[in-house]
Amino acid sequence: MKDIQTNTNPQLPKEDFYKELAEQIQVITEDQSFWVTNLSNASSVIFHELNSLAYFQEKPINWAGFYITNPKNDQQLILGPFQGKVACTEIQFGKGVCGTAASTMQTQVIRDVHQFPGHIACDSASNSEIVVPLVVDGRLVGVLDIDCQEKEGFDDTDRIGLEAIAKIIVDNCTW
């Protein structure tokens, strides 16, 4: 196994931080194609690295992980690898932020989850959320979900950076 550097400079501007984070995700996924392994390591790196970034010191991340399209019901997400507190185990497409991202296959950047119609409150500490769809050949295989304890925790820079990371994960896994 390669030696993995997971200490991104916490003072970097967010754009540069996401470039370094993408490089880390590339390294931990490029020689392993099993999606469970890659999503497990990716959720750990994303959770810890985001919380090391100076910006997120004021807006801590409390959950980072994945929901996978249920192989027995293609209109439902089931809990995958994650870092954080116990989470909801099933989410229907179109329900909550994750289900909306799944049904639209579009990234959802929610500045205040309490204002989002149908928000599913798995952790009462979450106040903002970003969900990035994982799409392979036009088919949703899952979503990357990250929750922040503060409102307005995510912006367009996060969206762009996390969409690039999601693409690396999708490209390096066998689904």
Side-chain angles (χ1 to χ4, degrees), residues 52 59 78:
S52 76
K59 296 183 178 191
I78 55 175

Side-chain angles (χ1 to χ4, degrees), residues 35 43 49 54-55 62 65 72 77 82 84 87 99 101 122 124 129-130:
W35 65 268
S43 63
E49 291 299 303
Y55 173 83
N62 58 307
K72 295 179 182 179
L77 297 168
F82 71 93
C122 296
S124 62
E129 185 171 8
I130 185 166

Side-chain angles (χ1 to χ4, degrees), residues 5-12 16-17 20-21 24 49 52:
Q5 172 69 323
T6 58
N7 294 317
T8 306
N9 179 346
Q11 301 304 319
L12 284 175
D16 296 333
F17 167 84
E20 284 193 15
L21 184 59
Q24 290 177 40
E49 291 299 303
S52 76

Side-chain angles (χ1 to χ4, degrees), residues 110-174:
I110 308 303
R111 299 184 185 282
D112 181 351
V113 297
H114 307 290
Q115 300 300 314
F116 189 85
H119 169 66
I120 301 169
C122 296
D123 180 355
S124 62
S126 297
N127 284 298
S128 59
E129 185 171 8
I130 185 166
V131 181
V132 181
L134 305 176
V135 180
V136 177
D137 297 327
R139 175 179 60 93
L140 185 92
V141 295
V143 298
L144 166 59
D145 179 21
I146 305 173
D147 295 354
C148 180
Q149 292 181 23
E150 300 296 325
K151 292 178 181 173
E152 299 185 15
F154 304 102
D155 59 24
D156 206 45
T157 301
D158 300 297
R159 180 190 59 77
I160 292 166
L162 292 167
E163 286 177 345
I165 288 166
K167 181 173 180 357
I168 291 167
I169 292 168
V170 164
D171 289 349
N172 288 341
C173 291
T174 300

